Amino acid sequence: MKVVILAGGLGTRLSEETSILPKPLVEIGSEPIIWHIMKIFARFGAKEFIVCCGYKGFLIKKYFQDYHIRNSSVTFDLSRSTAQYIDEPRDDWRVTLVDTGLNTMTGGRLKRIRRFLDDDEPFLMTYGDGVGNIDIADLLSFHTAQGKMATVTAVQPTGRFGAMYLAGNDPTVQNFHEKPNGDGTWVNGGFFVLQPEVIDLIDGDATIWEHDPMRKLTEKGELVAYRHHGFWHPMDTLRDKTVLNDLWNAGDAPWRVW
């Protein structure tokens, strides 16, 4: 099954990093977040990727061009102009990197890669800036059982601040939770399963996937939510990057399902 990754945005809220790199190449540990996302899908056998490039997309292409030399030792025979890679990475991925425009919106990027999709098979789609311990096999089973055009993974982000509980006018703090489970709201966590015909709901480059197409699917009763109760975290800000790196460096990264 093919996996589409939206990787073309400007990443303005992470400008400390994205002034130099596209957001999907911002690193967690020693590898970019797009690598972590791909490892999640590959763990469940989804190894054919279509990456929608835009802002600084040539750097994403360069990353994959240099993938082997980045991740293995190498012997260069200068007399023969050859290179022999030693202990090559075993990732058996097929990665297609498509220029989908600098200012194209999320829906427009999907429409631009329609020709790379199979007409008779659903595809997976997610954003290039969020990780989680999503059970992709269970997600696919859920989508098939529902029989709808689109499935979105619904997540409940943790609260950003600690919460204090007060009783009436009593100034005494009754309880305190550091970073509670948010306000119970379910939000779009990416990790979609989509039938190819959803792209017919996209007008063009200016279409934002999360606006008209998802609203139309909702009105038709064709959008269902897969509730994910496990770990999920975006990388929207420098603070998010720090949180994810701290988890990775501590050996406690819940999204490392491989």
Side-chain angles (χ1 to χ4, degrees), residues 32-234:
I33 190 170
I34 193 171
W35 176 88
H36 293 260
I37 294 167
M38 295 167 80
K39 292 290 277 189
I40 294 168
F41 284 107
R43 159 66 178 80
F44 295 93
K47 300 179 182 180
E48 186 168 355
F49 300 93
I50 302 166
V51 181
C52 300
C53 298
Y55 174 69
K56 295 186 182 294
F58 69 95
L59 292 177
I60 301 177
K61 296 175 188 176
K62 183 67 174 172
Y63 167 75
F64 285 103
Q65 182 183 46
D66 294 342
Y67 192 80
H68 284 84
I69 200 167
R70 178 186 172 106
N71 293 284
S72 65
S73 300
V74 60
T75 298
F76 291 106
D77 187 330
L78 302 184
S79 65
R80 299 176 179 173
S81 298
T82 61
Q84 179 182 359
Y85 295 105
I86 305 164
D87 300 323
E88 293 184 77
R90 297 183 179 181
D91 299 310
D92 53 342
W93 304 343
R94 179 180 174 86
V95 186
T96 300
L97 300 125
V98 184
D99 289 314
T100 56
L102 179 61
N103 298 311
T104 308
M105 297 291 103
T106 49
R109 295 190 191 283
L110 274 179
K111 194 173 186 71
R112 286 204 184 196
I113 56 89
R114 176 65 182 88
R115 61 195 171 105
F116 297 98
L117 301 173
D118 298 318
D119 291 333
D120 56 353
E121 183 180 61
F123 64 97
L124 294 151
M125 187 272 280
T126 197
Y127 306 104
D129 63 356
V131 291
N133 55 350
I134 317 294
D135 186 330
I136 302 299
D138 194 54
L139 170 63
L140 287 169
S141 295
F142 176 86
H143 176 78
T144 301
Q146 296 299 312
K148 301 296 184 179
M149 291 172 63
T151 297
V152 58
T153 295
V155 297
Q156 293 179 302
T158 56
R160 183 175 177 182
F161 303 103
M164 292 187 296
Y165 296 88
L166 305 174
N169 294 322
D170 186 348
T172 304
V173 176
Q174 304 295 313
N175 203 343
F176 179 83
H177 286 288
E178 176 64 14
K179 297 183 180 64
N181 293 325
D183 59 5
T185 301
W186 292 95
V187 303
N188 169 12
F191 293 91
F192 292 85
V193 188
L194 303 172
Q195 299 300 129
E197 54 265 31
V198 301
I199 296 180
D200 297 336
L201 301 175
I202 300 170
D203 293 329
D205 284 356
T207 303
I208 299 172
W209 165 251
E210 299 78 11
H211 291 182
D212 283 352
M214 288 188 68
R215 288 171 184 160
K216 289 175 182 176
L217 287 166
T218 301
E219 291 167 0
K220 294 173 178 285
E222 289 290 339
L223 176 65
V224 293
Y226 173 81
R227 291 178 174 86
H228 174 62
H229 296 278
F231 178 87
W232 175 87
H233 205 291

